[in-house]
């Protein structure tokens, strides 16, 4: 029984209900049959058929019938019809277009087998999913497979636990992570950076609860449009309470806590807050998609006249932030009104034109993603590429006239009349968890000095050097660096190897000569070593790299 087989980034998949369990060993046999079909140059034939006829054609295919029954009108076909493509006895639902025949297909490879629930619903039938990739040429295919192999080496789900950063205990439940001490240091460094840059940009730091009564979520529209991603309510005598999937209604309440004047605007609120989303089990993926996540969330309340400048300020902040991490040249996308939305057409038109106006004024190129906006407003997304060329959607900027209307937000204008503010929702990094996953894979776990959980590892050559090693560590710690001493009874070689596996930026080896001369032997992650380096000279270098948030360690040979 055939389910769905859409294209995805860099490939495709198809879901099947099969009488036998597939394994990776089956993929070469399936590939061989695919190559026979390619060589046969089977032509693709397109038909638009009435829905009733389509239901008859797929009488023995329950998944296809369910799709057909859900089709109201085939896009571009006109009337109550369904778009079908055929080749050599095979037929499937598809809007197309297709290449002329199978012989036009280039290089391809089947990649893996996985389980998948029909419609992503764990209460529905579990299917078998085959993933594959296809490229115009064999060279491009091999290039992609190399990138994929590199991505597997960098997988944060392997590197994170290996580096002792985080884990997903079964006792907590799916999609919920705990941060270990080293991971906690990483989260703290990132959080401190986020708060620092927001304060410098004129944001006020706020704090809000994790739960709220149902009335708040009714007013905001979340219970109407987002309930499927919210956890079930908790009941008490005051009514139903929900854990928050978003922070925006809470920031609205802070705005409403007193009368606002045009002189108060723009009012920028920032909160690094944990939210909870009831993601389906089949969609969870390490830290990239989880159920408890910390958003670098902020909301700007401004006058309509201030709107474009405030959006431009967010764009500028985005570029500034990502330069720190070495991400530049984003791909930008304007997403318009989705099918499920709150607010009238005029409101959406105003919000969309405001974002379009800001983009045009910025001079940055952008694409338009029709129907991909949030339910309360259009948005602009920034996509950045990592070290192995993968694109990640990170910053989101959303323009919202709907929530100020629903919550009856006002400010007193210069004309002494009441006016409605505009609300900008924005997250620069997105969730810290997801961004850390991206950073782990971007750097292959070898973080820059300023982010590294352990910046310096001090290794005494013998036990008699433990005292000097502790003095070195104390001096580094006093200067604000994160440092550890390896006093294990392993050999020097094993200690150095362990520090390399932990991807510590700097290893300082100390022995008799170093203790006598108040020096250290410095070794970087690449294995470059310098001996007899004055401790204070190394310390000065490390402090600069930490404070300036350098992306690379300096030349050890120059110390």
């Amino acid at each position: 029984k055939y389910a769905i087989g859409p294209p995805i980034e860099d490939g495709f998949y198809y879901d099947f209900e099969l009488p036998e369990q597939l394994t990776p060993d089956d993929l070469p046999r399936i590939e061989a049959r695919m190559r026979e079909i390619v060589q046969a140059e089977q032509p693709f034939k397109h038909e638009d058929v009435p829905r009733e006829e389509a239901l008859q054609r797929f009488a023995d295919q329950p998944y296809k019938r369910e799709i057909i029954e859900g089709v109201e009108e085939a896009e571009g076909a006109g009337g109550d019809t369904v778009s079908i493509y055929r080749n050599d006895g095979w037929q499937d639902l598809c809007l197309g277009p297709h290449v002329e025949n199978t012989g036009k297909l280039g290089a391809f490879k089947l990649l893996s087998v996985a389980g998948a629930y029909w419609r992503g619903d764990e209460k529905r039938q579990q299917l078998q999913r085959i993933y594959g990739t296809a490229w115009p040429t064999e060279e491009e295919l091999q290039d992609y497979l190399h990138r994929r192999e590199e991505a597997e080496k960098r997988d944060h789900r392997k590197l994170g636990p290996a580096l002792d950063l985080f884990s997903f205990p079964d006792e907590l439940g799916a999609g919920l992570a705990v941060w270990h001490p080293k991971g906690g240091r990483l989260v703290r460094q990132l959080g401190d950076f986020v708060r620092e840059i927001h304060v410098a940009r004129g944001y006020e730091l706020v704090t809000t609860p994790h739960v709220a009564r149902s009335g708040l979520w009714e007013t905001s529209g979340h219970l109407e449009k987002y309930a499927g991603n919210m956890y079930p309510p908790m009941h008490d005598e005051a009514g139903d309470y929900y854990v928050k999937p978003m922070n925006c209604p809470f920031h609205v309440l802070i705005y409403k806590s007193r009368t606002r004047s045009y002189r108060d605007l723009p009012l920028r609120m920032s909160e690094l807050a944990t939210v909870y989303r009831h993601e389906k089990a089949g969609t969870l993926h390490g830290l990239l998609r989880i159920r408890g996540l910390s958003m670098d969330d902020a909301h700007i309340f401004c006058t309509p006249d201030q709107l474009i400048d405030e959006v431009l300020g967010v764009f500028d902040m985005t570029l500034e932030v990502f330069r720190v991490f070495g991400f530049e040249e984003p791909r930008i996308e304007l997403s318009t009104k989705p099918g499920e939305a709150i607010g009238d057409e005029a409101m959406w038109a105003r919000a969309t034109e405001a974002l379009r106006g800001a983009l045009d004024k910025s001079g940055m190129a952008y694409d338009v993603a029709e129907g991909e906006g949030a339910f309360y407003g259009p948005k602009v997304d920034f996509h950045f590429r990592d070290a192995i060329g993968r694109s990640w959607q990170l910053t989101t900027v959303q323009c919202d006239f709907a929530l100020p209307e629903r919550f009856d937000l006002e400010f007193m204008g210069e004309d002494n009349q009441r006016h409605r503010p505009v609300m900008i929702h924005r997250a620069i990094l997105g969730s810290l968890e997801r961004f850390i996953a991206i950073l782990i894979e971007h750097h292959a776990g070898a973080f820059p000095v300023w982010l590294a959980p352990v910046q310096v590892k001090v290794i005494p050559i013998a036990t008699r050097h433990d005292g000097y090693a502790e003095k070195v560590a104390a001096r580094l710690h006093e200067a604000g660096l994160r440092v550890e001493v390896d006093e294990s009874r392993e050999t020097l070689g094993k200690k150095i190897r362990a520090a390399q596996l932990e991807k510590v930026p700097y290893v300082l080896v100390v022995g008799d000569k170093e203790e006598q001369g108040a020096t250290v032997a410095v070794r970087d992650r690449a294995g470059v070593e310098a001996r007899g380096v004055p401790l204070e000279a190394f310390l000065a270098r490390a402090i600069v790299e930490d404070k300036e948030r350098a992306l690379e360690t300096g030349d050890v040979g120059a110390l």
Side-chain angles (χ1 to χ4, degrees):
K1 307 300 182 187
Y2 306 100
I4 58 173
I8 56 176
E9 185 174 8
D10 292 337
F12 58 91
Y13 68 78
Y14 210 114
D15 291 345
F16 305 90
E17 181 185 336
L18 298 170
E20 60 185 81
Q21 188 69 34
L22 293 177
T23 72
D25 293 338
D26 293 307
L27 299 185
R29 180 165 55 91
I30 299 171
E31 268 188 30
R33 180 72 183 107
M34 293 167 71
R35 296 187 197 286
E36 291 176 11
I37 294 170
V38 168
Q39 290 170 3
E41 296 187 357
Q42 298 175 7
F44 289 107
K45 302 291 186 181
H46 178 232
E47 292 181 274
D48 290 321
V49 302
R51 189 191 306 185
E52 288 306 316
E53 181 182 337
L55 287 169
Q56 292 172 13
R57 289 199 190 187
F58 293 97
D60 62 342
Q61 295 293 334
Y63 304 109
K64 299 300 179 186
R65 288 180 61 88
E66 184 175 327
I67 293 171
I68 294 167
E69 288 164 355
V71 173
E72 294 182 0
E73 182 173 305
E75 185 178 325
D80 190 13
T81 59
V82 175
S83 177
I84 292 175
Y85 276 85
R86 296 185 291 110
N87 65 296
D88 194 35
W90 162 262
Q91 59 181 348
D92 203 353
L93 305 173
C94 190
L95 289 174
H98 276 281
V99 291
E100 180 185 357
N101 60 63
T102 60
K104 300 290 186 182
L105 301 179
F108 61 85
K109 185 173 180 59
L110 298 184
L111 301 172
S112 61
V113 179
Y117 291 105
W118 173 235
R119 303 286 200 186
D121 185 347
E122 57 265 35
K123 296 178 182 178
R124 305 290 302 271
Q125 178 73 29
Q126 186 166 36
L127 307 172
Q128 297 186 65
R129 176 172 294 179
I130 298 179
Y131 284 98
T133 188
W135 297 84
T137 67
E138 184 67 25
E139 183 181 0
E140 289 170 285
L141 171 62
Q142 292 305 318
D143 182 58
Y144 167 73
L145 293 176
H146 174 72
R147 296 199 310 271
R148 178 180 166 85
E149 182 181 349
E150 185 63 29
E152 289 178 2
K153 293 178 186 175
R154 295 166 177 256
D155 191 334
H156 76 280
R157 293 170 297 176
K158 299 175 184 176
L159 281 177
L163 296 173
D164 198 21
L165 300 178
F166 60 84
S167 60
F168 287 88
D170 290 339
E171 295 85 346
L172 277 184
L176 299 168
V178 292
W179 292 95
H180 301 188
K182 290 180 181 177
R185 295 172 202 163
L186 179 57
V187 172
R188 187 181 72 241
Q189 288 303 117
L190 202 54
D192 288 349
F193 169 67
V194 166
R195 294 184 185 93
E196 174 190 318
I197 200 162
H198 279 81
V199 170
R201 287 270 181 164
Y203 286 79
E204 300 288 348
L205 304 183
V206 299
T207 303
T208 61
H210 290 245
V211 299
R213 291 168 60 178
S214 60
L216 183 68
W217 306 112
E218 289 167 359
T219 303
S220 69
H222 284 86
L223 283 183
E224 178 187 357
K225 303 294 183 183
Y226 200 74
N229 291 90
M230 296 173 67
Y231 277 93
M234 300 169 282
H235 309 283
D236 76 0
E237 64 280 358
D240 290 345
Y241 286 78
Y242 290 84
V243 294
K244 63 180 178 181
M246 297 182 186
N247 299 301
C248 28
F250 296 86
H251 294 184
V252 167
L253 295 183
I254 295 174
Y255 181 93
K256 284 193 71 172
S257 64
R258 65 182 182 84
T259 302
R260 303 288 176 179
S261 160
Y262 71 94
R263 295 187 181 87
D264 299 323
L265 304 182
L267 177 58
R268 309 181 187 103
M269 298 184 200
S270 173
E271 180 176 16
L272 196 55
T274 303
V275 298
Y276 305 88
R277 296 177 183 173
H278 195 193
E279 303 284 2
K280 293 177 180 177
T283 66
L284 300 174
H285 185 84
L287 295 176
L288 291 172
R289 190 141 188 185
I290 55 178
R291 289 173 168 169
L293 51 150
S294 304
M295 300 293 297
D296 72 322
D297 216 353
H299 296 91
I300 302 170
F301 300 86
C302 63
T303 70
D305 291 343
Q306 295 167 335
L307 178 56
I308 288 182
D309 284 342
E310 286 301 307
V311 172
L312 287 170
V314 176
F315 292 170
D316 185 62
M317 183 179 183
T318 297
L319 299 177
E320 178 188 357
V321 166
F322 284 105
R323 274 195 294 269
V324 172
F325 298 99
F327 295 134
E328 300 197 51
E329 298 182 5
R331 179 177 66 82
I332 302 171
E333 210 168 55
L334 170 63
S335 298
T336 60
K337 183 182 179 183
E340 289 286 321
I342 59 175
D344 58 34
E345 290 295 335
M347 192 178 290
W348 275 86
R350 289 171 65 201
T352 304
E353 284 311 304
L355 290 180
R356 196 186 303 273
L359 285 167
D360 291 341
K361 191 173 181 179
S362 75
M364 296 185 292
Y366 63 94
D367 300 316
V368 177
E370 298 291 349
E372 296 296 322
F375 73 84
Y376 45 77
K379 60 176 182 165
V380 172
D381 292 330
F382 284 68
H383 302 252
F384 291 88
R385 291 197 175 275
D386 67 10
I388 56 175
R390 295 172 301 179
S391 179
W392 301 94
Q393 185 270 307
L394 291 166
T395 296
T396 291
V397 189
Q398 299 165 357
C399 182
D400 181 6
F401 287 88
L403 285 189
E405 188 76 31
R406 292 174 78 97
F407 280 95
D408 194 25
L409 301 188
E410 295 179 333
F411 68 91
M412 294 299 296
E414 197 170 2
D415 58 0
N416 253 358
Q417 299 298 311
R418 297 179 184 276
H419 299 273
R420 190 79 72 204
V422 187
M423 188 173 178
I424 300 169
H425 307 247
R426 47 114 303 213
I428 303 295
L429 302 180
S431 83
L432 291 198
E433 291 81 1
R434 181 172 178 271
F435 188 64
I436 287 173
I438 293 168
L439 284 179
I440 291 172
E441 299 193 4
H442 177 65
H443 292 290
F447 299 107
V449 170
W450 75 276
L451 276 176
V454 178
Q455 297 169 308
V456 184
K457 178 85 79 169
V458 184
I459 298 179
I461 293 175
T463 55
R464 67 179 181 275
H465 307 123
D466 287 355
Y468 180 59
E470 291 291 350
K471 288 181 181 179
V472 168
R475 177 71 185 101
L476 299 176
H477 180 75
E478 177 189 342
L481 297 178
R482 297 182 292 281
V483 57
E484 289 183 354
V485 178
D486 185 347
E487 294 180 339
S488 68
R489 301 282 70 91
E490 297 289 353
T491 64
L492 177 62
K494 285 187 176 180
K495 289 181 182 181
I496 292 174
R497 176 62 177 156
Q500 288 177 325
L501 290 174
E502 293 172 20
K503 302 183 185 290
V504 177
Y506 288 114
V507 172
L508 305 185
V509 178
V510 295
D512 291 332
K513 290 183 180 178
E514 287 77 21
E515 186 169 6
Q516 291 166 8
T519 63
V520 291
V522 183
R523 186 185 182 94
D524 67 15
R525 270 191 293 236
V528 178
E529 189 172 358
R531 300 189 178 186
V533 177
L535 175 58
E536 292 302 318
F538 167 76
L539 179 58
R541 155 79 70 79
I543 288 174
V544 168
E545 291 178 357
D546 183 39
K547 299 302 182 188
E548 293 185 354
R549 298 189 171 104
L551 287 171
E552 304 288 344
T553 53
D555 179 11
V556 167
L559 282 168

